[in-house]
Amino acid sequence: MMLLRLISWPYARKHLLRWLLTMAGIVLGVGVFVGMHTANQSVLAAFRETIDKVAGTTQLQITAGEPGFGEEVLEKVQSLPEVRAAAPVIEATVSTGQGNLLILGVDMLGDRSLRTYDLEGTDEAIDDPLIFLAQADSLIVTRTFAEKNGLQVNSRVPMRTMQGDLIFTVRGIMKPGGLASAFGGDLAIMDIYAAQKFFGRGRRFDRVDLALLDGVTLADGSAKLRALLGSGYEVSPPSSRGEQFEQTSRIYSLASNITSIFALFIGMFIIYNTFAIAVTQRRSEIGILRALGATRSQIRTLFLTESAIAGSIGSGLGVLFGIVMAHAMASYIGNILTEVYGVAQRADGIQVDPVLIGGAWAMGIVTSLFAAVIPARAAAYVDPVKALQKGRNQALSEGESLLRRWAAVGCAAAAVIAVIFSHSTAIFYAGFVLGGVAAVLLAPSLTLWLSRFLRPLLAFLRPVEGTLAADSLIQSPRRTSGTVAALMLSLALVISLGGLARSSYDSLADWMRIALNPDLFVTTAQSVTSRTFVFPASLGDGLRAIPGVDEVQLVRSVRVPVKGGPVMLVALDIGSVERRAKLPAVEGDAATMYRRTERGEAVLASENFVRLHGGKLGEVLEIAAPSGVLKLPIAGIVRDFSDQQGSLLISRQAYIRFWNDDSVNVFRVYVKQGAQDSDVRQRILDTFGKQQRLFVLTNKDVRDYVTRLTDQWFGLTYVQIAVAVLVAILGIVNALTVSITDRRRELGVLQAVGGLRQQIRHTVWMEAAAIGFIGLVLGLLLGAVELYYAIEISRRDLVGIDIGYAYPFRTALALAPVILIAAFLAAVGPSESAVRGSLVEALEYE
Amino acid sequence: MIHLQGVTKQFAGKRQVTALERLDLHLARGEMVSIVGPSGSGKSTLLNLIGGLDRPTEGEIKIDGQALSTLSDDGLTRVRRDKIGFIFQFFNLLPTLSCLENVSLPLHLRGWPRKKIDERARELLDLVQLSGRLEHLPDELSGGERQRVAIARALSVFPPVLLADEPTGNLDTHTGAEILKLIHDLHDRLGATILIVTHDMVVAESCPRTIGIRDGRIVTDVRRGDARREMSRA
């Protein structure tokens, strides 16, 4: 403790800027980790809170995937003696001018035994549920929603429904709290039979909520219900919907984990760098301490304690930064998850998890300690005799370099072998890690070689400034290589993510060209992925009768449980798809697979379904449907990007038969040759637009939507890129700040013998540019390798789709000026400090 | 050549320290002067002010008729570049540059053509008898050789003023005597005004004029005949 106060504190105070920069790496790493996870958890918590509040006293919910089930199921459930109360529910999210509104369609006669509707005042319509029932246009809204929209009892609310534009009447306002606070208070209650009509559900419910008699356990109740209903139904407590949401958004969570861990990893390099330099700079101090009797262990502990303190402060600031970031990100992430996964939630505030905060804080400290282990060991082994000799440096030993190089070669060789045996996931990931380790171990040697290579070039450009800049890099491999390694890793991340994005866009463009070729899409919402409203099948005939329409494909997309997870089942006219939009076959006989699927004998599985859920060609899938378990083999594997979790294509007839549901999400309309898309679109709107909720999107609208969705997804990639570049810049600033301190006397001499300020600035700028250039070269090279791994990881564990390897040359070209400019900007402060300090002190500096 | 009038230098801090106080001094062209005094007397401060490395708090310094107080930092640098050569106690050679490159440094900074720089650097290293060590790095040289390189670098543009701060302070007696002889030889051959700050009375007394400083003021100013100088060179 005394050593800390006497030795460490004065040093830290003297080099405050450098310590702040060092801590910035940890702040950023911990901040991104806390920010992303807190935002994720907040979205999940918001979803769970909505489920919880909507559930009321519901103990079990009966569902059958998104298509729901017929009304007869309710009677069956109610007939079970163990069931105290059962009520049907339709849950739908509609877009209003004020954002999303969650509409709960309930049976007011039976629902009050499960949910409490705490209404303001005493209104006749609500006191007698029969009156509420009798008036199909009735809505109960929450106080929050009413205030936001200036509503009161008897106010009129317009809504676009499957019955056309209708006016609803507010018949009651719920007091805040309880059910009324679900979905951020943006909630409305509607009679279930009205909801069936207005959302196009026919005579179906989304689910049945129920409570068991006292004394009946959940396990018993569930078992009895399962036995009663058969395998096509899921019986689970409301909380299990949160798990499904987590499972669905697994890819997103993984991506955010990678970003934060990467930021922390780069932060670790910055800390290593700072401590390695501190040991070099403080060698005489260490020598004195050793001469005065300090043990090696005391010296090591001193440096590790400094590191723990820096890590602790950095982590603390990182936690605060992360919480601020989470506030900004929660609604953005919520929107992405709603768009991509179709799970509505409202994350207005954030939920701070003490375990996460504690874990992140500890992680920051451990990272900091880990980064300081090698420098602390080096400090402990400083030779006091050499340390006390003025002007004598104890350089990185050749033995250490050689050992490191051999270790790098070993890791690289092991990584190459791992690629050969990469069918094993463990070996593949081991190879990925070893490749990274090899690059990091090789970074000092490569930096040295590249610096030597650059010396003549820099000397040619500016004989004095250039030579000194290159020599500064050559002479201080420790100072430079840590920064270069951080920069290299950052840029490799940028290249791999940029390349992945580029390749994904290319593959998506190919798929859109083939699969999204209808001229028009008739949908129930502006977004093609929305499945809140559904059309009756009969609309298809009406569309076919529109002049100019050549062919109409009826598409029903629903998420159903397959292989233990929710999978997108796309029911459509397979024969028509084969003619019009034949998806490329990845596996299977292209000539027969469509025909077998069309006949209802098989399904077509998307490439990513097979990868992510472990299926194979010919495997018989068991798909639970309300009328029994559908057992169909996979007749072919096709490239389909309909859903991130994978999709199954099934014949529409088979779907109708097993799910007893002939509704439609989207009509894909092909226009006759010679007819104008815009004319046909207008005719559809004129004919059906007023009768019901209906949108007609052009091919371009849909493609733009898919691209926008992908942009939103890769928006996270850009956050990752920004973090990577920011950390890299911090690294350069750190290295240059240290370099200026290290070279203080040298720069002083340069000025003493006639170097102008501009010439001093040039040498610092050139050093920064050289660091940037070396980091850029190594980063672009490592990026080529990382891109291979990114594509493989994406194929194996994320989206399951094979995308071609395409090095993002444009990104690489764009990075060159970005990094060089960033290096220059990073050099401005240090170069000014180099020219503005006292020349006399610089010449006396040791 | 060097003219100081009423020069005061104070260092601000918790307690203000006056290093030089109303100091007047005149050094003629070609004069060789030593400055002696105890530690903290202000002799190095005086050298720094004359060399344009620092600015006085009050007073005026003129080098070759040019007042330094009116110059910007870059203006001061140009004076150093064109008119002043420095020799330091710890040599201050750049460890990464060879002897040739170290001597070339000021010439590059002046923007001379490469060929001319190379010729001049070789000529200077020959002058200090190091023509056989052109490509050696400072670490590969003895203390005396390093100081020779530093002297060659200080002479690179044949400046009219040469300032030496304890030029033999980091050398053994024998090597120190050799360096001193070299400085005297160069003075004879080049005729520059040389100002040497030293603790070493042998060095001080080898110069025709010795100025003693104590507590920031000139306390003695002794001029000697050539005989004394000859004696020290012997």
Side-chain angles (χ1 to χ4, degrees), chain A residues 390 455 459-460 463-464 467-468 471 475 745-746 749-757 759 839-840 843, chain B residues 48 52-54 73-74 77-78 80-81 86 88 90 92 94-97 101 105-106 108-110 114 153:
Chain A
K390 201 170 186 181
R455 193 179 192 269
F460 173 78
V464 176
T467 307
L468 291 178
D471 285 345
Q475 288 304 306
R745 178 185 275 225
E746 177 186 309
V749 171
L750 203 61
Q751 284 179 283
V753 299
L756 298 173
R757 284 182 167 202
Q759 290 173 312
L839 204 47
V840 175
L843 288 168
Chain B
N48 290 337
L53 296 176
D54 207 351
D73 282 343
D74 277 347
T77 304
R78 286 197 177 86
R80 283 197 300 273
R81 178 192 278 188
F86 283 98
F88 302 98
F90 292 104
N92 276 339
L94 301 192
T96 60
L97 302 184
E101 287 171 330
L105 192 66
H108 278 298
L109 292 169
R110 290 165 66 97
R114 281 164 202 265
R153 184 181 66 184

Side-chain angles (χ1 to χ4, degrees), chain A residues 20 25 30 45 48 93 101 138 140 304 306 355 427 505 569 602-603 667 673 699 701 703 777 803 813:
Chain A
L20 290 176
V30 171
R48 283 200 164 124
T93 315
L101 174 69
S138 299
I140 300 173
L304 288 176
E306 284 181 19
V355 176
I427 293 180
Y505 277 109
L569 189 72
V603 290
F667 291 100
Q673 266 197 333
N699 186 287
D701 290 339
R703 283 177 189 234
V777 169
I803 48 176
L813 275 177

Side-chain angles (χ1 to χ4, degrees), chain A residues 96-319:
Chain A
T96 68
Q98 301 288 324
N100 287 344
L101 174 69
L102 179 69
I103 295 186
L104 218 56
V106 296
D107 174 6
M108 288 303 282
L109 286 173
D111 206 76
R112 287 184 159 188
S113 52
L114 294 173
R115 276 170 273 269
T116 307
Y117 298 90
D118 195 4
L119 298 167
E120 293 180 349
T122 50
D123 190 88
E124 194 181 72
I126 305 305
D127 281 349
D128 184 352
L130 287 173
I131 297 177
F132 184 80
L133 267 176
Q135 295 167 310
D137 66 339
S138 299
L139 270 187
I140 300 173
V141 298
T142 63
R143 167 54 53 203
T144 312
F145 187 74
E147 277 177 5
K148 211 189 285 184
N149 295 283
L151 301 175
Q152 47 196 318
V153 173
N154 292 326
S155 286
R156 311 202 133 210
V157 180
M159 204 187 300
R160 211 160 181 206
T161 73
M162 297 315 288
Q163 303 287 312
D165 290 332
L166 295 177
I167 303 291
F168 288 79
T169 306
V170 176
R171 305 251 187 244
I173 294 176
M174 284 189 279
K175 289 178 186 165
L179 175 65
S181 58
F183 206 68
D186 289 338
L187 178 92
I189 307 294
M190 183 187 279
D191 175 63
I192 186 133
Y193 299 103
Q196 281 181 330
K197 195 162 71 170
F198 299 136
F199 292 112
R201 296 286 205 278
R203 297 183 69 81
R204 301 172 74 81
F205 300 136
D206 285 357
R207 65 170 195 264
V208 168
D209 287 3
L210 62 93
L212 299 166
L213 282 176
D214 287 345
V216 179
T217 63
L218 276 184
D220 278 353
S222 302
K224 293 239 163 77
L225 283 161
R226 281 196 193 100
L228 175 77
L229 297 169
S231 57
Y233 296 85
E234 276 194 59
V235 182
S236 52
S239 57
S240 68
R241 288 174 71 198
E243 286 157 29
Q244 280 180 22
F245 178 46
E246 265 185 279
Q247 195 183 352
T248 312
S249 59
R250 185 183 63 91
I251 300 172
Y252 171 76
S253 301
L254 193 66
S256 55
N257 272 343
I258 291 173
T259 309
S260 41
I261 287 171
F262 209 87
L264 213 56
F265 193 59
I266 298 171
M268 190 171 83
F269 271 91
I270 295 181
I271 292 191
Y272 164 78
N273 208 23
T274 306
F275 274 91
I277 291 154
V279 171
T280 312
Q281 285 190 334
R282 294 162 70 183
R283 66 192 182 282
S284 61
E285 191 180 86
I286 298 166
I288 294 167
L289 284 175
R290 293 276 286 125
L292 292 175
T295 62
R296 281 189 174 148
S297 159
Q298 281 176 312
I299 300 290
R300 188 169 36 232
T301 307
L302 181 70
F303 276 85
L304 288 176
T305 311
E306 284 181 19
S307 153
I309 291 171
S312 179
I313 297 171
S315 301
L317 293 173
V319 165

Side-chain angles (χ1 to χ4, degrees), chain A residues 8-78:
Chain A
S8 307
W9 173 236
Y11 181 80
R13 219 171 35 184
K14 193 175 169 191
H15 300 95
L16 197 59
L17 177 64
R18 193 187 318 154
W19 282 107
L20 290 176
L21 288 171
T22 303
M23 282 193 289
I26 290 290
V27 172
L28 215 55
V30 171
V32 170
F33 183 83
V34 169
M36 288 211 157
H37 281 268
T38 303
N40 275 0
Q41 285 186 351
S42 303
V43 171
L44 183 60
F47 180 65
R48 283 200 164 124
E49 196 184 324
T50 294
I51 291 169
D52 198 39
K53 285 178 176 162
V54 167
T57 57
T58 299
Q59 288 175 285
L60 290 170
Q61 291 182 329
I62 296 163
T63 54
E66 282 178 358
F69 40 71
E71 291 175 350
E72 68 284 356
V73 174
L74 177 65
E75 287 170 28
K76 271 188 176 181
V77 172
Q78 284 172 334

Side-chain angles (χ1 to χ4, degrees), chain B residues 58-216:
Chain B
E58 278 176 35
E60 184 57 273
I61 300 171
K62 284 183 182 171
I63 304 289
D64 205 9
Q66 184 161 25
L68 301 188
S69 61
T70 56
L71 298 176
S72 64
D73 282 343
D74 277 347
L76 275 180
T77 304
R78 286 197 177 86
V79 169
R80 283 197 300 273
R81 178 192 278 188
D82 298 334
K83 295 184 176 170
I84 299 168
F86 283 98
I87 303 167
F88 302 98
Q89 179 181 358
F90 292 104
F91 326 125
N92 276 339
L93 297 175
L94 301 192
T96 60
L97 302 184
S98 67
C99 295
L100 196 64
E101 287 171 330
N102 261 295
V103 177
S104 305
L105 192 66
L107 304 172
H108 278 298
L109 292 169
R110 290 165 66 97
W112 281 26
R114 281 164 202 265
K115 196 174 168 213
K116 198 175 162 193
I117 290 172
D118 196 59
E119 284 170 5
R120 171 64 69 89
R122 285 171 190 276
E123 179 191 338
L124 287 165
L125 283 166
D126 189 41
L127 194 69
V128 296
Q129 295 146 34
L130 281 176
S131 47
R133 297 264 200 253
L134 299 181
E135 298 304 327
H136 283 62
L137 291 173
D139 274 356
E140 298 163 349
L141 302 176
S142 68
E145 286 172 325
R146 287 184 209 181
Q147 195 59 298
R148 283 168 190 271
V149 178
I151 291 169
R153 184 181 66 184
L155 293 173
S156 57
V157 291
F158 296 126
V161 176
L162 201 60
L163 303 178
D165 189 1
E166 301 278 9
T168 61
N170 202 32
L171 302 171
D172 60 64
T173 314
H174 177 69
T175 313
E178 277 185 5
I179 291 297
L180 187 61
K181 185 171 180 296
L182 177 66
I183 293 173
H184 279 287
D185 284 347
L186 292 171
H187 180 241
D188 290 345
R189 289 166 68 174
L190 304 174
T193 305
I194 297 180
L195 189 61
I196 302 175
V197 165
T198 184
H199 272 104
D200 187 339
M201 287 315 290
V202 175
V203 175
E205 287 169 9
S206 73
C207 298
R209 183 181 172 192
T210 297
I211 294 168
I213 294 187
R214 185 183 290 270
D215 297 331

Side-chain angles (χ1 to χ4, degrees), chain A residues 339-600:
Chain A
E339 288 276 1
V340 177
Y341 303 115
V343 187
Q345 32 57 45
R346 175 63 58 87
D348 291 328
I350 61 152
Q351 303 261 331
V352 179
D353 176 6
V355 176
L356 173 79
I357 300 297
W361 191 65
M363 189 171 68
I365 296 173
V366 169
T367 306
S368 183
L369 275 172
F370 188 71
V373 164
I374 297 175
R377 186 179 173 278
Y381 281 87
V382 161
D383 182 340
V385 177
K386 285 184 185 170
L388 291 172
Q389 288 171 357
K390 201 170 186 181
R392 181 154 179 194
N393 289 337
Q394 216 179 318
L396 192 67
S397 76
E398 189 57 29
E400 189 186 332
S401 299
L402 206 62
L403 185 71
R404 207 183 46 236
R405 260 178 244 161
W406 277 113
V409 170
C411 288
V416 171
I417 294 168
V419 170
I420 299 167
F421 297 101
S422 64
H423 49 268
S424 152
T425 303
I427 293 180
F428 168 77
Y429 278 100
F432 172 48
V433 172
L434 284 170
V437 171
V440 168
L441 289 175
L442 266 183
S445 302
L446 293 172
T447 303
L448 198 61
W449 296 333
L450 279 170
S451 302
R452 284 186 183 139
F453 167 79
L454 277 180
R455 193 179 192 269
L457 178 70
L458 293 176
F460 173 78
L461 292 172
R462 293 258 167 191
V464 176
E465 300 98 307
T467 307
L468 291 178
D471 285 345
S472 169
L473 299 180
I474 292 166
Q475 288 304 306
S476 304
R478 280 196 177 184
R479 182 180 71 216
T480 317
S481 60
T483 304
V484 167
L487 191 55
M488 172 183 76
L489 289 171
S490 305
L491 296 179
L493 178 75
V494 174
I495 287 293
S496 60
L497 291 177
L500 189 63
R502 184 70 271 146
S503 302
S504 301
Y505 277 109
D506 289 348
S507 302
L508 200 64
D510 278 349
W511 173 74
M512 285 200 289
R513 190 173 43 76
I514 298 164
L516 295 185
N517 64 359
D519 302 301
L520 298 170
F521 295 78
V522 178
T523 63
T524 59
Q526 290 283 13
S527 127
V528 274
T529 53
S530 168
R531 297 187 292 279
T532 298
F533 297 89
V534 284
F535 289 118
S538 56
L539 183 64
D541 296 331
L543 291 170
R544 283 189 195 98
I546 297 276
V549 170
D550 188 19
E551 187 169 356
V552 177
Q553 291 174 347
L554 284 64
V555 182
R556 178 70 169 123
S557 310
V558 286
R559 243 180 241 284
V560 294
V562 182
K563 288 196 160 206
V567 170
M568 186 64 78
L569 189 72
V570 185
L572 69 181
D573 179 355
I574 298 287
S576 171
V577 169
E578 185 184 12
R579 278 196 318 278
R580 292 280 192 174
K582 193 171 180 175
L583 295 164
V586 178
E587 242 184 286
D589 179 11
T592 59
M593 63 189 198
Y594 279 94
R595 258 170 276 154
R596 286 182 64 202
T597 309
E598 172 66 7
R599 289 198 297 266

